[in-house]
Amino acid sequence: EPEVTQTPSHQVTQMGQEVILRCVPISNHLYFYWYRQILGQKVEFLVSFYNNEISEKSEIFDDQFSVERPDGSNFTLKIRSTKLEDSAMYFCASSEQGGRSDEQYFGPGTRLTVT
Amino acid sequence: AQKVTQAQTEISVVEKEDVTLDCVYETRDTTYYLFWYKQPPSGELVFLIRRNSFDEQNEISGRYSWNFQKSTSSFNFTITASQVVDSAVYFCALSDNGGYNKLIFGAGTRLAVHP
């Protein structure tokens, strides 16, 4: 069964450094998402992406964040200058279409630790 | 405004007990979708069910059942004859017209099933 993959599984970085989290969505899916989950808290929407542009972003997704689909398979989340509060699990998801009913398939997550 | 409330933070049961996880949602839209996801200790998010706002039929899948009641804006999840493998955090989520199909998650309920 096709699945969303994410690399790395765990990333440790120092405050102020740039990080890039990578995702490979399911190949025939057109809509891509990033969510984050601070330890012990709920999963929060960051951004949705379709047709090479951002469809929607949350208040969390400020100028320090950016997303890109650099080729036909990868979908990346970049944090320019990490802060301690960026420490969280970051989930990538994809869906075949963009409708409200469409199931989003989640990747296994990347745990980001900012020290 | 969109909101999902899971008032039960943690539930602890003994194996073979039935357990119900509560979910209450808020939305102004008449068309919306509700989801349940399971997050086992390994951390990934596993899709369990999707229900649209026009279908109030209860659904049963093996030991799992869901009770959707629009009158009380609730979408509760029952596990019958719980097993240790059911131990996880369970998230209820909402998708409506508020913004493409981003998922709004509740805070989650941690279920511990003891032998």
Side-chain angles (χ1 to χ4, degrees), chain A residues 28-75:
Chain A
N28 65 329
H29 285 187
L30 302 177
Y31 289 80
F32 316 117
Y33 313 85
W34 283 101
Y35 292 81
R36 83 168 183 194
Q37 183 183 30
I38 294 171
L39 186 63
Q41 298 186 24
K42 67 179 173 182
V43 179
E44 300 173 290
F45 169 79
L46 291 178
V47 65
S48 58
F49 190 87
Y50 169 70
N51 200 24
N52 280 321
E53 59 183 33
I54 291 174
S55 306
E56 186 180 3
K57 58 184 181 180
S58 71
E59 292 174 354
I60 302 167
F61 194 88
D62 61 22
D63 291 345
Q64 292 299 310
F65 292 87
S66 62
V67 288
E68 194 178 29
R69 188 152 163 84
D71 52 44
S73 59
N74 289 282
F75 179 50

Side-chain angles (χ1 to χ4, degrees), chain A:
Chain A
E1 187 177 327
E3 56 184 20
V4 177
T5 59
Q6 290 185 243
T7 54
S9 57
H10 190 190
Q11 173 96 41
V12 182
T13 189
Q14 289 191 327
M15 199 166 51
Q17 295 295 305
E18 174 183 286
V19 293
I20 297 176
L21 309 183
R22 290 184 167 79
C23 168
V24 178
I26 294 172
S27 62
N28 65 329
H29 285 187
L30 302 177
Y31 289 80
F32 316 117
Y33 313 85
W34 283 101
Y35 292 81
R36 83 168 183 194
Q37 183 183 30
I38 294 171
L39 186 63
Q41 298 186 24
K42 67 179 173 182
V43 179
E44 300 173 290
F45 169 79
L46 291 178
V47 65
S48 58
F49 190 87
Y50 169 70
N51 200 24
N52 280 321
E53 59 183 33
I54 291 174
S55 306
E56 186 180 3
K57 58 184 181 180
S58 71
E59 292 174 354
I60 302 167
F61 194 88
D62 61 22
D63 291 345
Q64 292 299 310
F65 292 87
S66 62
V67 288
E68 194 178 29
R69 188 152 163 84
D71 52 44
S73 59
N74 289 282
F75 179 50
T76 62
L77 173 69
K78 179 160 67 175
I79 309 175
R80 286 186 186 69
S81 178
T82 50
K83 307 182 189 108
L84 292 176
E85 53 265 38
D86 293 327
S87 294
M89 180 76 93
Y90 288 81
F91 291 102
C92 173
S94 69
S95 64
E96 195 170 350
Q97 300 168 27
R100 286 161 293 175
S101 65
D102 213 24
E103 178 188 339
Q104 293 182 25
Y105 292 79
F106 282 81
T110 293
R111 181 167 298 285
L112 176 65
T113 302
V114 182
T115 60

Side-chain angles (χ1 to χ4, degrees), chain B residues 23-60:
Chain B
C23 172
V24 174
Y25 62 91
E26 290 176 35
T27 176
R28 291 197 192 102
D29 293 329
T30 54
T31 303
Y32 51 89
Y33 289 81
L34 297 163
F35 302 78
W36 276 94
Y37 281 84
K38 174 182 179 180
Q39 186 175 43
S42 48
E44 72 273 24
L45 286 165
V46 179
F47 168 81
L48 294 177
I49 191 173
R50 168 186 53 224
R51 170 65 79 223
N52 77 56
S53 53
F54 296 109
D55 183 1
E56 285 196 73
Q57 271 195 328
N58 290 334
E59 180 153 342
I60 298 174

Side-chain angles (χ1 to χ4, degrees), chain B residues 13-21 38 48-49 59-67 76-88 90 111 113:
Chain B
V13 299
V14 177
E15 217 172 10
K16 297 184 185 173
E17 280 186 39
D18 297 348
V19 58
T20 296
L21 310 181
K38 174 182 179 180
L48 294 177
I49 191 173
E59 180 153 342
I60 298 174
S61 175
R63 296 184 297 107
Y64 294 170
S65 62
W66 290 270
N67 181 3
N76 296 338
F77 172 31
T78 297
I79 302 174
T80 303
S82 58
Q83 299 175 2
V84 172
V85 293
D86 295 327
S87 297
Y90 291 86
L111 174 64
V113 182

